[in-house]
Every structure is written in structure tokens, then in C-alpha cells.
Amino acid sequence: MISGTNAIGTKSSKQGNNTFKTFDPKENINTEWTFYEASSNEINEAVDLATDAFKTYKEFSGNKKAGFLEAIADEIEALGNELIETYCKESGLPEGRAKGERGRTMGQLRAFAKLLKEGSWVEAVIERAQPNRTPMPKSDIRKMLFPLGPVVVFGASNFPLAFSTAGGDTASALAAGCPVIVKSHPMHAGTGELVSSAIIKAAEKTGMPNGVFSNLNSSGIAVGQQLVKHPKVKAVGFTGSINGGTALYKLANERDEPIPVFAEMGSINPVVVLPSALVNDGDAWANTYASSVTLGAGQFCTNPGLLLAIKGEKLDGFIKTLSDEILKFEPTCMLHPTIYAKYNEGKKELSAQSGVTISANYKKDTNANTAKPSILKVSGADFLANTKLHTEVFGPFSVVVECENTKELETILNHLEGQLTGTILGSEEDLKNNSGIVDALRSRVGRILFNGVPTGVEVNSSMVHGGPFPATTDPRFTSVGTSAIKRWVRPVSFQDWPNTLLPIALQDENPLGITRLVEGNYTKN
Ligand code: NAP
């Protein structure tokens, strides 16, 4: 049962005067629920409670925190159909997608639980003392990772489960030992409230301190801004627009004590189609790309928004097939009227740029909020001269750039903004013969793919879902996969500390049996 209230730890609260509703984009009407925006007092209360909770939560063993994460996964599953129905109503996404995303969300929580049980993620490093070393004795120095403190998570609009209330940011921060305050996404506040209730139930069942998790509603930027400016908040996770992410990044850096903001923002995910891919598999790749561009109404951060190839007859054939194929897909509903309006605005703006031709544009009538796919074509020279053409148009949309030659293609890659992914289609021979292109692409992205599509992000320990600005605000980290935990910790060294008073992960006897780097060697000894 959705109440529209905020969750401040275990307490439901609705002190604020502002209310808002979520929207059913398929029916094009408001949903039945009313949500109460968090007041300034409620924000302070949630942060104070999280700060108190941190004192005990940070000391909990890996096994205890793992039990909490596993219980969250179980409680999410126990929400059953109410969660799936609410998700579909608030996002316009189909039931299959809702169930798949729920599975992914539970899988992420369980993957972090496994990481915690194994324990070596704390990166324990030991350099023992050498009192007789000359000319200076060497101290005993040991280091490991410690949680930062309360973290604010901004749920993403396009993944109401996997990148939202109990998504990757929340799961990784809780795993690290940081209490989480979620700034719920206003487009799926009901879904957020249900998931939040599952987290709170799991916290109570597994003996977590009150305030380890809170969920705050808002329909404007003020709540998020107050949270980021709050002196007791120690880090921020965000997925959304470049404008939103950079605004919060700036705010966090203007604080008396600046804090890290891990924002995952826009990306057009360049795909380089090398000549052999056009000659040998042009039609097949055009087909595959049409599916990738239209998947989920194009509302994926890894959507391929840019294809680069050398001009010629084969590329003409590729563009024709891609354009024909993209128009065969039944257009689907977008997340919200504002996302739909922004999509149409972006498409119109880019279509009107100098040198742009429209290769495909879906024309038939559609239901409300349904995105009509489009493919544009432009020369390499025009693309290079106009950075407006580099902007993300969030939806089923892609720009094909016809380059004069490989030199021009390489120059374009070298001038491209940071991206989450980059893809090369071709043969192994092509990779060897085009090392300049491969190097240029690798330097701009967090994940480089060969003969595939960038949509579909595996959650595992080798995944990098990140990249140079503006793909993210910190290219050293990933927001997907178990390495995401590294965003919420910092290293601390202990010098000449008594063995029994060291954190257990650093004690001589290695009571946790974890892998540690001892004087340059990885060992469990
Ligand atoms: P958004 O506008 O960036 O909003 C994301 C969250 O951040 C919302 O909760 C929003 O709060 C908050 N926010 C935004 N600007 C803020 C600011 N200046 N200060 C404080 N809080 C702020 O993203 P969205 O609503 O998910 O979608 C809008 C557009 O973002 C899409 O059309 C798309 O272009 C882009 N997007 C990109 C990705 C990606 O992965 N590349 C994913 C999702 C969206 P309020 O809504 O309450 O104002």
C-alpha cells in the first residue's frame, strides 16, 4: 500500500506542505497516489539519523552486512506483483522489463553480499617493521579501506529498480559500510516507496541501526541541493542528465568541506564501422544496430547515438538498411512526458544543424508519449565543426557520420567528449591495421567493445560502467559491478599500531583468512 510519505529510518513522515503525483505515461494521466515532498526538518532528521547509524554500522562484520543485503533482495522479491504493477504504471515499461530489472537488482545485492563474505575487497596491505634497517629503521605500516560516512543517492529515472532506490549505488554504499539516504526519483516515487519499505524491513530483521537507510521524496531540485550541501553528508551517487550531475558536482565542491560526487551522466557511445564490417556483414550489422538503437525506446545510457564509417557505396547501403529496419520497429512509450518532450526537442534541434540529412524518421501516428525513431546523416567535416551534433538525444535516435578517410575518423574520435562505451565493428585484421583509431577510441571511453552492441551491461567484477567527463565526474570508478564499492571508501594507514588493537583485517594472524598484500606478495598467510 503506497502512502506517499517519506521514510526517515523506520519512521513514516509527511511534514512538508508540497505534494506531487507520479504519472502513467501510457494512459497519459496522473497515478492515484499523492507524495509528500521532504521538508527541511525531515532532511536534517534523516541525515542526523544516518550519522548516528554510521557509528555502529561501520563496525559491522562483512557477514552481518551481507545478511542485510541478502535480506533486502528477499524482501524485494516478497513485494511480488504490487512492485511490478507499480513499476509498469509509473514508467510505461513492459512487465518483462520490470521482472528482468527486479532480477538484476536482487542479483546486484547478492553479488555485494558475496564480496563481503569473502572479505578481501578491503585491500589490506602490510609492510612489517625492520628495526635494524640502516640508515633508518623501518616502521610497521598497514593499510586498508574504510567507509566514508552517510551517502546520498539520486535514483535514476530510466532504471526504476536497478539504478534507483535499492540499485547499484545503494547496494555498493551499504556494502562499503555507509548509511544511505535516497533522494527518490519523482517519476517513480511509488516504486521507490515500495522498495524502500523492503530495505527498512530487511534492516529491522537483520539488526541494523535505525537510520542506515532513509528515503526522501521531492519533485524539484531543492531537496537534492540541501542534501548535497549538508555538512554531515560525505559522498553522493547520481545517474541522470549532464546538467543535473554537473550542478550537483559544483555544489559539492563549493562546500566548506568538498565531498566526492560520482555522477554517471550523458554518453553517445560511438560505434566505428570499419570497412570489412561493411563489406562482409553490412546488412546484418545494420539490423542489429536498429534493434540496439530502439531498445527500451532508446532510454539507455549505453544507447548507440553515433556511428562513424568511411563514406562510399557500402556505407550508403548500410545507412539504407539501418533506416529501413529502424522504421519496422513498433515505437514504444517513453518514461514521462518531459523525457518525451526533451527527446522531440533534441531530435528537432540536431536535424536542423548545417549539413544534416534525415535518413529515417517514423511518421505514422502513435499513442501519447511514444518516441518516433530517427536516423540522421552528416559529413565528418560538419560533425567536427559543430559540437551541438555531439549531444545526447535520449531516445531511439542515432547520427551516422560519413568520414572522408580513416585519418578524419581518428581526428573525430580525438575530439570527442568522454563516453561510457566505444565499439569497433570489423575484423581482427582491421584492429591491427587501425591502431590509431583503436587508441583514440580507448582514450575516450570506459568500456571498449569489439563486434557487439553497447546496450546490455553485465554486472560483474570486471565491468567498467564509467568514463571520462562528461560520461562521469570521475573516470577512475565504475557505477556497475562489485568494484563500484570503491567509490565509498578511503584508505587509512596504521603505523606501529599494537597488533591486538588493529582492525581485524590487518592483524598478524589474518583471522578473516582474506587475501592481503604482505611485503609485495598476495597471500592469505
Ligand atoms: P535529471 O533531470 O538529471 O534528474 C535526475 C535527478 O537529479 C532527479 O531526482 C532530479 O530531481 C535531480 N536533479 C537534477 N538536477 C538537479 C539540480 N540542479 N540540483 C539538484 N537535483 C537535481 O534526469 P532525469 O529526470 O532522469 O531525466 C532527464 C534527462 O536526463 C533525460 O531526458 C536524459 O537526457 C537524461 N538522462 C540520462 C541518463 C544517462 O544515463 N545518460 C539517464 C537518465 C536520464 P528533480 O527531478 O526532483 O528535479
Side-chain angles (χ1 to χ4, degrees):
M1 179 66 186
I2 293 167
S3 65
T5 56
N6 300 286
I8 300 173
T10 54
K11 187 178 84 177
S12 292
S13 182
K14 49 172 185 181
Q15 293 170 15
N17 296 321
N18 297 337
T19 59
F20 65 98
K21 284 187 162 287
T22 51
F23 194 81
D24 179 338
K26 266 193 165 158
E27 298 298 327
N28 210 23
I29 49 167
N30 281 332
T31 65
E32 59 267 46
W33 309 295
T34 299
F35 298 90
Y36 296 82
E37 184 161 280
S39 67
S40 192
N41 277 345
E42 286 170 318
I43 294 169
N44 289 334
E45 217 184 309
V47 178
D48 286 343
L49 209 55
T51 307
D52 276 350
F54 182 56
K55 289 177 196 149
T56 39
Y57 188 60
K58 70 182 165 59
E59 303 297 339
F60 283 179
S61 70
N63 280 336
K64 196 164 163 79
K65 285 184 291 175
F68 175 33
L69 297 184
E70 286 168 341
I72 298 175
D74 295 344
E75 292 297 335
I76 288 175
E77 193 160 31
L79 290 169
N81 248 354
E82 188 184 4
L83 179 64
I84 300 301
E85 282 163 14
T86 308
Y87 171 113
C88 295
K89 192 181 265 194
E90 291 187 323
S91 69
L93 294 167
E95 185 183 314
R97 161 73 192 270
K99 288 185 171 162
E101 208 185 310
R102 180 179 59 182
R104 181 190 171 114
T105 307
M106 296 187 312
Q108 286 175 166
L109 288 157
R110 290 181 178 133
F112 281 110
K114 191 170 165 211
L115 185 83
L116 294 179
K117 284 179 188 168
E118 196 284 328
S120 305
W121 73 274
V122 297
E123 292 180 5
V125 181
I126 297 177
E127 290 280 344
R128 279 171 297 194
Q130 290 172 12
N132 301 324
R133 188 182 69 174
T134 54
M136 293 271 287
K138 181 184 166 200
S139 292
D140 183 292
I141 304 184
R142 303 172 183 221
K143 76 164 178 176
M144 64 176 283
L145 301 173
F146 286 89
L148 293 175
V151 165
V152 169
V153 168
F154 288 77
S157 59
N158 57 341
F159 278 89
L161 294 173
F163 279 83
S164 206
T165 319
D169 284 351
T170 297
S172 55
L174 290 176
C178 300
V180 170
I181 301 146
V182 164
K183 206 298 274 176
S184 180
H185 200 289
M187 291 179 195
H188 54 251
T191 308
E193 183 182 322
L194 291 175
V195 174
S196 159
S197 71
I199 300 175
I200 289 161
K201 226 182 233 177
E204 287 180 310
K205 278 187 178 171
T206 54
M208 296 297 127
N210 188 17
V212 71
F213 178 83
S214 288
N215 184 52
L216 302 180
N217 291 318
S218 84
S219 64
I221 60 176
V223 170
Q225 289 181 335
Q226 189 183 333
L227 279 165
V228 172
K229 284 196 280 192
H230 199 295
K232 291 180 182 170
V233 166
K234 298 301 174 197
V236 177
F238 171 93
T239 306
S241 64
I242 293 181
N243 281 348
T246 46
L248 295 171
Y249 180 77
K250 280 189 188 141
L251 207 59
N253 280 287
E254 285 161 10
R255 291 169 36 130
D256 287 344
E257 180 200 354
I259 53 168
V261 172
F262 300 101
E264 192 243 289
M265 306 176 289
S267 185
I268 52 173
N269 304 296
V271 178
V272 177
V273 194
L274 288 173
S276 75
L278 289 178
V279 172
N280 301 328
D281 303 302
D283 280 354
W285 279 124
N287 223 307
T288 305
Y289 265 78
S291 314
S292 182
V293 169
T294 49
L295 190 71
Q299 300 164 121
F300 287 118
C301 39
T302 50
N303 202 52
L306 178 68
L307 280 99
L308 303 141
I310 313 299
K311 74 175 189 187
E313 232 174 73
K314 290 288 174 193
L315 180 59
D316 294 343
F318 176 87
I319 297 172
K320 165 122 190 33
T321 314
L322 175 64
S323 303
D324 290 347
E325 289 301 320
I326 211 152
L327 299 181
K328 288 183 191 161
F329 285 87
E330 198 55 47
T332 46
C333 183
M334 296 196 92
L335 294 162
H336 195 270
T338 57
I339 293 219
Y340 172 67
K342 272 186 92 175
Y343 171 64
N344 287 329
E345 253 169 54
K347 199 165 85 163
K348 195 168 158 201
E349 194 176 13
L350 265 64
S351 304
Q353 300 298 307
S354 167
V356 169
T357 358
I358 300 169
S359 296
N361 196 21
Y362 194 93
K363 291 229 163 59
K364 286 186 246 167
D365 285 344
T366 52
N367 292 333
N369 305 312
T370 300
K372 298 182 179 184
S374 185
I375 300 287
L376 305 186
K377 188 175 80 173
V378 68
S379 73
D382 283 329
F383 184 81
L384 255 179
N386 183 359
T387 52
K388 178 56 77 188
L389 290 166
H390 306 195
T391 44
E392 178 186 50
V393 175
F394 199 62
F397 171 92
S398 206
V399 177
V400 182
V401 179
E402 294 184 308
C403 303
E404 282 297 324
N405 47 41
T406 48
K407 186 93 202 96
E408 186 178 63
L409 201 158
E410 191 180 323
T411 307
I412 291 173
L413 292 176
N414 279 320
H415 283 82
L416 216 52
E417 300 75 7
Q419 307 288 338
L420 293 171
T421 74
T423 302
I424 296 188
L425 306 184
S427 63
E428 286 187 29
E429 213 46 37
D430 283 335
L431 287 187
K432 284 185 207 149
N433 296 337
N434 292 283
S435 57
I437 286 178
V438 175
D439 276 0
L441 189 61
R442 202 196 60 193
S443 72
R444 307 313 302 136
V445 306
R447 174 165 59 110
I448 186 159
L449 297 89
F450 180 55
N451 283 345
V453 291
T455 40
V457 182
E458 277 295 329
V459 181
N460 63 30
S461 49
S462 52
M463 175 51 69
V464 174
H465 190 64
F469 186 86
T472 75
T473 46
D474 196 332
R476 295 168 299 170
F477 296 92
T478 175
S479 59
V480 173
T482 44
S483 305
I485 197 172
K486 299 287 162 66
R487 294 173 298 169
W488 317 116
V489 289
R490 66 183 183 88
V492 177
S493 284
F494 293 79
Q495 187 160 335
D496 293 328
W497 212 252
N499 183 51
T500 53
L501 298 179
L502 278 166
I504 195 163
L506 295 177
Q507 290 177 5
D508 284 342
E509 301 77 10
N510 193 10
L512 296 174
I514 58 176
T515 301
R516 311 188 291 186
L517 186 64
V518 181
E519 275 149 24
N521 298 310
Y522 284 104
T523 173
K524 290 191 175 186
N525 295 333

